[in-house]
């Protein structure tokens, strides 16, 4: 073998670099193809959670109630723990749990309905009849706690779907359980 | 001396002992399995992984979803190649490169004070790994990948071919 041949100092030959580029390209193409085959395919441009829920609310509006008003005046009040506990005890309205269903099943506020941000469209279709009865009534949404924004996102979606009287319990599941208040499970 | 496959033999290249060959094989296969596993977890919920990628605030929004879709496939392909020992030099070089990128990305997020789920083993799931621990873990994996690459680079993980002995 000629000693005048040279190899890249990095220790990779040109063939190795071609293999690497082919691997990366093939992965992108396969990833794109698999995405097209998915039911819930990702769009080319990333959407934030708010944008995703906006689109879902638009789809629901189009599928179910195309004439729902979209410019509702809504005040989203934030309840403290004592106010939320009183709301739950008095059964003044609906309580909605915006956490993923798996956490809801392990424990939730007694009487709460599961309407997760992650699975909003499917969950809303299942709960539609219960929610629509309460369209002008009070609904309180909670999620994991102060650091979680899922309750705000679900609130936004419900407001876009015409629910006028929505409140948020910002303390969420963590504050409820830390206070030792009753829990319910679905298991 | 240049080997038949075009790689440069470095000074001090010694044939590996049986123990070293065994260690290289075990580390390479373990790395491959980790890559396949992490790629599989990321591919289960691409939306959650895209959320993790976006939270690093490095890529423009048009690149986030394609990246989130392609990286799990790349990891699984690389992992399979490492396990099977295919295109060893290219596969291990790309593995080293990927871990270097992961370390840089997680490191910059730590320096910038971003609070994120690293998405290393699927995104959107409560992770037991804090970011410093994720860096520690990836540093170990980077070192393992570099060890395997070093042996793949020199070709010393294989028995020398007859024409190489003439160098």
């Amino acid at each position: 073998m000629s000693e005048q041949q040279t190899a890249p100092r990095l220790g990779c030959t040109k063939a190795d670099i071609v293999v690497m580029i082919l691997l990366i390209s093939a992965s992108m193409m396969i990833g794109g193809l698999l995405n097209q085959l998915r039911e819930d395919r990702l769009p080319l441009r990333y959407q934030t959670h708010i944008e995703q829920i906006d689109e879902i609310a638009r789809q629901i509006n189009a599928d179910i109630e195309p004439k729902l008003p979209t410019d509702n005046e809504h005040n989203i009040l934030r309840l403290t723990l004592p106010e939320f506990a009183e709301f739950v005890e008095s059964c003044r309205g609906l309580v909605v749990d915006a956490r993923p269903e798996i956490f809801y099943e392990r424990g939730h506020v007694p009487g709460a309905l599961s309407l997760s941000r992650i699975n909003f469209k499917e969950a809303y279709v299942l709960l539609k009849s219960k929610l629509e009865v309460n369209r002008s009534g009070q609904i309180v949404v909670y999620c994991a706690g102060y650091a979680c924004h899922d309750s705000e996102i679900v609130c936004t979606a419900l407001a876009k779907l015409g629910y006028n009287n929505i409140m948020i319990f910002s303390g969420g599941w963590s504050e409820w359980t830390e206070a030792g208040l009753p829990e319910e499970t679905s298991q | 001396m240049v080997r038949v496959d075009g790689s440069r033999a470095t000074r001090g290249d010694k044939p590996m002992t049986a123990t070293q060959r065994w260690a290289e094989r075990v580390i390479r296969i373990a790395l491959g399995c980790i890559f396949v596993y992490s790629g599989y977890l990321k591919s289960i919920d691409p939306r959650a992984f895209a959320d993790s990628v976006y939270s690093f605030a490095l890529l423009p929004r048009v690149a986030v979803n394609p990246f989130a879709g392609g990286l799990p496939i790349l990891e699984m392909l690389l992992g399979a190649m490492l396990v099977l020992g295919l295109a060893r030099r290219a596969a291990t070089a790309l593995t080293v490169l990927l871990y270097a990128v992961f370390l840089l990305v997680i490191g910059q997020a730590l320096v910038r004070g971003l609070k994120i789920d690293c998405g290393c083993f699927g995104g959107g799931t409560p992770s037991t790994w804090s970011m410093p621990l994720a860096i520690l873990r990836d540093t170990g994996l980077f070192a393992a990948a570099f060890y395997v690459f070093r042996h793949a680079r020199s070709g010393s993980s294989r028995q020398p071919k007859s024409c190489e002995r003439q160098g």
Side-chain angles (χ1 to χ4, degrees), chain A residues 15-35:
Chain A
D16 295 328
I17 293 172
V18 168
V19 168
M20 289 195 273
I21 291 171
L22 281 175
L23 264 176
I24 293 170
S25 308
S27 303
M28 299 302 289
M29 284 197 309
I30 294 170
L33 188 65
L34 289 175
N35 183 52

Side-chain angles (χ1 to χ4, degrees), chain B residues 114-137:
Chain B
L114 299 177
K115 286 188 181 151
I116 51 174
D117 164 21
C118 81
C120 306
F121 288 88
T125 54
S127 173
T128 55
W129 292 90
S130 65
M131 280 163 65
L133 279 177
I135 289 178
L136 202 63
R137 180 201 60 214

Side-chain angles (χ1 to χ4, degrees), chain A residues 2-177:
Chain A
S2 166
E3 291 190 309
Q4 289 164 352
Q5 289 179 15
T6 55
R9 285 201 169 269
L10 288 172
C12 288
T13 63
K14 283 180 189 169
D16 295 328
I17 293 172
V18 168
V19 168
M20 289 195 273
I21 291 171
L22 281 175
L23 264 176
I24 293 170
S25 308
S27 303
M28 299 302 289
M29 284 197 309
I30 294 170
L33 188 65
L34 289 175
N35 183 52
Q36 291 306 308
L37 297 174
R38 295 176 73 96
E39 256 186 50
D40 57 339
R41 64 178 72 102
L42 298 179
L44 182 62
R45 189 173 177 272
Y46 175 78
Q47 288 177 321
T48 61
H49 293 164
I50 288 280
E51 287 167 350
Q52 287 169 23
I53 215 83
D54 264 1
E55 189 170 319
I56 289 169
R58 266 198 299 276
Q59 287 171 7
I60 291 173
N61 270 328
D63 290 345
I64 297 172
E65 295 283 355
K67 290 182 184 173
L68 266 181
T70 53
D71 292 332
N72 291 304
E73 294 246 342
H74 53 270
N75 289 317
I76 298 183
L77 297 176
R78 291 180 184 272
L79 300 182
T80 60
L81 178 62
E83 290 168 339
F84 180 59
E86 192 271 328
F87 181 92
V88 170
E89 198 176 343
S90 62
C91 301
R92 281 211 321 262
L94 290 180
V95 176
V96 164
D97 188 326
R99 298 174 300 155
E101 207 177 312
I102 189 169
F103 297 115
Y104 172 85
E105 286 171 2
R106 287 181 192 167
H108 53 265
V109 171
L113 303 172
S114 176
L115 185 60
S116 69
R117 189 265 305 162
I118 288 172
N119 213 27
F120 184 84
K121 187 175 183 182
E122 289 78 9
Y124 180 81
V125 169
L126 288 173
L127 292 178
K128 180 173 173 280
S129 52
K130 283 185 190 170
L131 289 169
E132 293 227 314
V133 166
N134 246 352
R135 192 171 278 283
S136 56
Q138 292 178 321
I139 300 176
V140 178
V141 185
Y142 73 91
C143 59
Y146 288 104
C148 175
H149 299 292
D150 283 358
S151 54
E152 291 163 0
I153 294 172
V154 166
C155 242
T156 304
L158 288 173
K160 286 181 185 296
L161 289 167
Y163 295 87
N164 298 321
N165 206 349
I166 317 167
M167 294 174 279
I168 291 178
F169 170 47
S170 304
W173 181 243
S174 62
E175 194 174 0
W176 180 270
T177 51

Side-chain angles (χ1 to χ4, degrees), chain B residues 37-53:
Chain B
Y37 179 63
S38 77
Y40 169 71
L41 286 181
K42 290 182 180 80
S43 68
I44 289 173
D45 192 348
R47 195 178 290 276
F49 181 54
D51 290 340
S52 292
V53 171

Side-chain angles (χ1 to χ4, degrees), chain B residues 78-90:
Chain B
L78 265 185
M81 289 172 73
L82 286 172
V83 169
L84 298 171
L86 302 172
R88 215 175 289 195
R89 203 167 41 235

